[in-house]
Amino acid sequence: MSLATPTSFSDAVDHNNTRHTSLSNKPLRPLRIAIIAHCLYPIAQPYAGGLEMITQLLCDELVAQGHDVLLYAHEDSQTQATLLPFLTRAEFDATVYENEHDSLGMSREEMYQYLVYQSALRDIIERDERGEIDVVHNHSLHHIPMMTGQVFGSRFFTTFHTPIFPQLRLALLTLRHGTKTQFTAISQHQQRLFSEFVPSHVVYNGIDVESFMANIESTTDFDRAFDTRTVNNSDEVYFWYGRICPEKGAHLAMQYCMEAGKKLIIAGPKSNEGYFNEQVAPLLAKDRSSNDPPLFDYVGHVTKDEINQYLCQATAMLFTSTWDEPYGLILAESLACGTPVIGFNVGASAEIVTPDTGVIVPKEDKAAFIQAFAKIKNISRQACRKRALAFCSVATMVEGYIALYEAAVDNRQQQRLNHQKDAHQTLSTFNNLNGRGKPWAGSDLVDSDNETIALSSGER
């Protein structure tokens, strides 16, 4: 498909009111940041999922802003940061007995992940002892970094990207009793979910908004400008995309469009063949058997650029997820393209999609969803793009994280100053009580020039 440049339809957007970073605007104080990814998949395109994309974008933007970033990740990861590969499976197999996991009462995969993260944390701790690390940011979804990270206190951050999976719960059951480490959630919904165990700061996920071509005019104008033929014979067409599986609810979008007589393009991999065959395929067949022009077009697993163009031509993107999405990256991507959203009120959807950028209805409320087809035409596509730039950008996400990093570093420096002040007070009190008396043998105190005073027994 022939695509225009990412700014083709976004010239009217007021970029002055958005937060943006660039290489020319480097921070006054570069930070040294260690980031721990999860070990299952490379942090590289094509992404295995949203977590891989977020980790790569975070690392690359931090580097672009002038920070020194170490990324502990799968050996095939691609990053602008300094990549420190995890223990490989070949290295793991070479260092443990074939049946060693059995003696520990765990699966071999569990043992591998355990050693992967232990090895990474050992390296980070050693670097920190040499003064090479300011903060550590954990995205691993595993309990080992969360527990071992206690050594860093408030300089250790864990981001919650998922529901409370067993590996996370293992650590949370202990940390709920007290921890100085810090946590971030990718939405207020996610924050509430984890509040039973630990408090967290909300830092919303970000996408590379400026990499998306945006249509802020109308679908008709877009088709005329780019001579597209993907959508034809109608100015009103809707788009659904994502993994085709029960919890994403593609069949619901199809049912609503069939009842309302709306055209729908469906894109995504068949991640659950049984669901596709039982719920989606029959609706596709029923649509084709009708004497009326077909409403549905399943286009399969498509690229980001193809998704971009489909969204630009769509009247709205349909979001029918039936589970509580912690964030919902496709919502941000749709807004980045200037495309309004009709979606269920699940997870963080109402935090991302405002009344100015879409229509959010109760989950599986068919009547409300169908009514939204008429309401969505009044939504400004320009407002959608502005929302994405201001709220859903990588720059905004990184800005939130940097604020937390800097606060943690400042807190550590303040603690050191307080420690030095206490040492001065101890020395002053001792001298006042003993005239020219000196501290006891072997003690290390700090003088007014922040140099350590080591006193021998002969100076009593």
Side-chain angles (χ1 to χ4, degrees), residues 268-282:
K270 302 175 186 178
S271 64
N272 186 316
E273 286 280 354
Y275 166 76
F276 181 88
N277 294 333
E278 294 172 13
Q279 298 287 345
V280 175

Side-chain angles (χ1 to χ4, degrees), residues 128-140:
D128 185 61
E129 289 175 346
R130 297 195 298 266
E132 299 173 7
I133 302 289
D134 290 319
V135 294
V136 184
H137 195 163
N138 169 38
H139 297 268
S140 69

Side-chain angles (χ1 to χ4, degrees), residues 119-223:
S119 176
L121 264 295
R122 182 174 65 250
D123 185 76
I124 294 173
I125 290 171
E126 289 174 354
R127 290 174 184 271
D128 185 61
E129 289 175 346
R130 297 195 298 266
E132 299 173 7
I133 302 289
D134 290 319
V135 294
V136 184
H137 195 163
N138 169 38
H139 297 268
S140 69
L141 311 180
H142 198 275
H143 67 282
I144 290 298
M146 293 172 66
M147 297 304 299
T148 310
Q150 300 305 300
V151 68
F152 297 95
S154 62
R155 296 184 296 126
F156 189 92
F157 296 85
T158 292
T159 293
F160 298 131
H161 293 272
T162 63
I164 304 176
F165 291 151
Q167 291 286 9
L168 292 175
R169 194 177 189 91
L170 271 174
L172 291 170
L173 288 171
T174 297
L175 300 183
R176 73 191 305 176
H177 298 294
T179 176
K180 292 183 178 180
T181 61
Q182 300 192 62
F183 305 90
T184 68
I186 58 176
S187 65
Q188 292 179 21
H189 166 79
Q190 191 81 335
Q191 182 186 51
R192 290 191 295 270
L193 180 67
F194 282 84
S195 63
E196 173 188 353
F197 297 97
V198 292
S200 59
H201 310 275
V202 174
V203 179
Y204 288 97
N205 277 340
I207 63 170
D208 187 2
V209 175
E210 294 182 356
S211 72
F212 286 88
M213 173 176 54
N215 173 11
I216 61 172
E217 302 301 331
S218 70
T219 55
T220 302
D221 291 338
F222 181 88
D223 292 340

Side-chain angles (χ1 to χ4, degrees), residues 395-406:
T396 300
M397 173 182 71
V398 172
E399 184 177 312
Y401 283 131
I402 288 176
L404 294 174
Y405 297 162
E406 290 181 336

Side-chain angles (χ1 to χ4, degrees), residues 38 40-44 46-57:
H38 71 81
L40 297 181
Y41 306 106
I43 306 303
Y47 300 116
L51 176 56
E52 290 77 19
M53 182 188 76
I54 292 299
T55 305
Q56 187 183 65
L57 289 174

